Amino acid sequence: MPSQTILYHLGYRFPEHADPVTARFAQVRVVLLCGTFSRATKLASRFSTDKHHNLSNTDRYLLLSPIPTVLIASHGIGLGSIDSLLHDIYHLLRTAGATQWCFVRLGSSGGIGVHPGTIVITEQPLNGTLKPHLEVTVLGQKRYLPARLDATLTNQLYSYVSAEQGVNVVLGKTLCAETFFDSQARTDGADILYTPDEAKAFLQSCAEIGIRNIEMESIPLAAFATRIGIPAAVACVAFVDRLQHDTPVVSPDILAQLENKAIETVANFVVHFLHSCIKPKANGASI
Ligand code: R2B
């Protein structure tokens, strides 16, 4: 084991930064992950109206902690980006002494047979070959890492969102695509490797095996969570029904409203989750 741990993309070093990190992150119970800086900022504002400072010491990711029990991080797009962040978050929270925490990802996605605005809760992520594991090259060999989400956390999230007014929710499989264009059967990339009919047939076959949306991070998150034994759940808002269109057909204003509703819903779930699993302290403070 190296004597120093370097969090390359969050810009911390241990043991050097261990004390301030412990003071700041020891109470974290939920790590809320999302793709973009703006979604992370909007999520943070649901927990506190204070000004939020980026706790990352690099400009790779946005890392916010609006209340001591909640850490919010933007993970960017795809495997390489989220995987680097997850390793750093693991080191950060282990050094801080946080012991009971979980991941909840709120993403955007292309829906499969669902209306725009539907929140798809992932029951099982599948990789690009429709298998439930992360396929990754390690030491020159293909490795297949099991990628499981936590059934209890997933069901809690699904029940909570189902009871929300004005939200469509489905529980289903999620196709975690390697790339935004080719791996998602889009026909609007720079160069197309298949015919429109082949793309349609693939999306239809996804629908037939219970896939309800396509995004790009659920498999690496589930594989990482499985490796380190931390519960994880994934909720994504669908912006388009990919059985009908390649790109969203609703206006940017409506898309923003759909995203905001998903942010509000998932943030409310996290508050509910924290209230239901943390015993109130003597002074009555609970989260
Ligand atoms: C959904 O949207 C992003 C690509 O635009 C990607 O991060 C994902 O999973």
Side-chain angles (χ1 to χ4, degrees):
M1 279 291 274
S3 60
Q4 197 182 41
T5 302
I6 302 173
L7 277 57
Y8 296 98
H9 302 98
L10 293 179
Y12 289 93
R13 281 168 187 269
F14 303 129
E16 208 176 321
H17 298 140
D19 289 347
V21 159
T22 303
R24 173 70 80 163
F25 301 110
Q27 294 178 60
V28 168
R29 300 293 306 267
V30 177
V31 176
L32 248 177
L33 300 164
C34 62
T36 65
F37 277 43
S38 69
R39 199 172 302 150
T41 306
K42 286 183 192 170
L43 275 167
S45 69
R46 305 291 316 180
F47 295 93
S48 152
T49 51
D50 294 349
K51 191 166 170 23
H52 306 291
H53 299 286
N54 190 0
L55 301 173
S56 167
N57 293 317
T58 77
D59 57 4
R60 289 278 182 190
Y61 303 103
L62 190 59
L63 190 69
L64 307 172
S65 184
I67 56 174
T69 46
V70 174
L71 183 64
I72 299 173
S74 66
H75 53 58
I77 297 182
L79 167 65
S81 186
I82 193 170
D83 187 67
S84 305
L85 173 70
L86 293 175
H87 282 269
D88 278 12
I89 287 177
Y90 171 78
H91 284 308
L92 191 79
L93 295 186
R94 195 176 66 150
T95 301
T99 50
Q100 263 197 304
W101 53 278
C102 62
F103 290 114
V104 177
R105 161 167 145 74
L106 168 61
S108 56
S109 63
I112 301 277
V114 301
H115 291 298
T118 303
I119 296 182
V120 181
I121 313 278
T122 305
E123 196 176 25
Q124 175 63 56
L126 302 176
N127 68 17
T129 59
L130 310 184
K131 299 286 191 307
H133 50 240
L134 173 68
E135 197 175 317
V136 65
T137 312
V138 180
L139 307 182
Q141 307 281 331
K142 283 280 177 214
R143 294 280 297 264
Y144 305 94
L145 308 183
R148 288 183 293 271
L149 296 169
D150 186 77
T152 305
L153 185 62
T154 298
N155 288 331
Q156 284 173 336
L157 178 60
Y158 177 65
S159 305
Y160 184 87
V161 180
S162 303
E164 283 280 281
Q165 294 292 315
V167 182
N168 288 328
V169 59
V170 298
L171 185 65
K173 296 187 181 112
T174 293
L175 168 58
C176 181
E178 285 151 44
T179 65
F180 184 71
F181 290 98
D182 302 320
S183 304
Q184 301 196 32
R186 298 176 67 107
T187 52
D188 57 351
D191 172 58
I192 305 159
L193 300 170
Y194 35 76
T195 66
D197 283 349
E198 286 169 336
K200 266 195 182 131
F202 173 71
L203 293 170
Q204 193 56 49
S205 69
C206 288
E208 280 159 17
I209 61 163
I211 292 176
R212 294 292 168 261
N213 67 337
I214 311 178
E215 47 79 270
M216 297 177 65
E217 293 82 21
S218 55
I219 276 276
L221 171 60
F224 189 82
T226 305
R227 277 171 85 175
I228 64 167
I230 293 288
V234 175
C236 292
V237 58
F239 281 157
V240 57
D241 180 359
R242 290 297 318 283
L243 297 184
Q244 311 290 335
H245 306 282
D246 265 2
T247 46
V249 286
V250 298
S251 69
D253 281 357
I254 300 287
L255 281 183
Q257 282 174 30
L258 300 179
E259 179 180 355
N260 290 343
K261 184 68 188 167
I263 287 170
E264 181 192 323
T265 305
V266 171
N268 288 347
F269 165 72
V270 171
V271 170
H272 164 82
F273 174 82
L274 290 169
H275 277 294
S276 58
C277 69
I278 297 178
K279 292 198 178 64
K281 293 190 183 139
N283 66 3
S286 55
I287 61 171

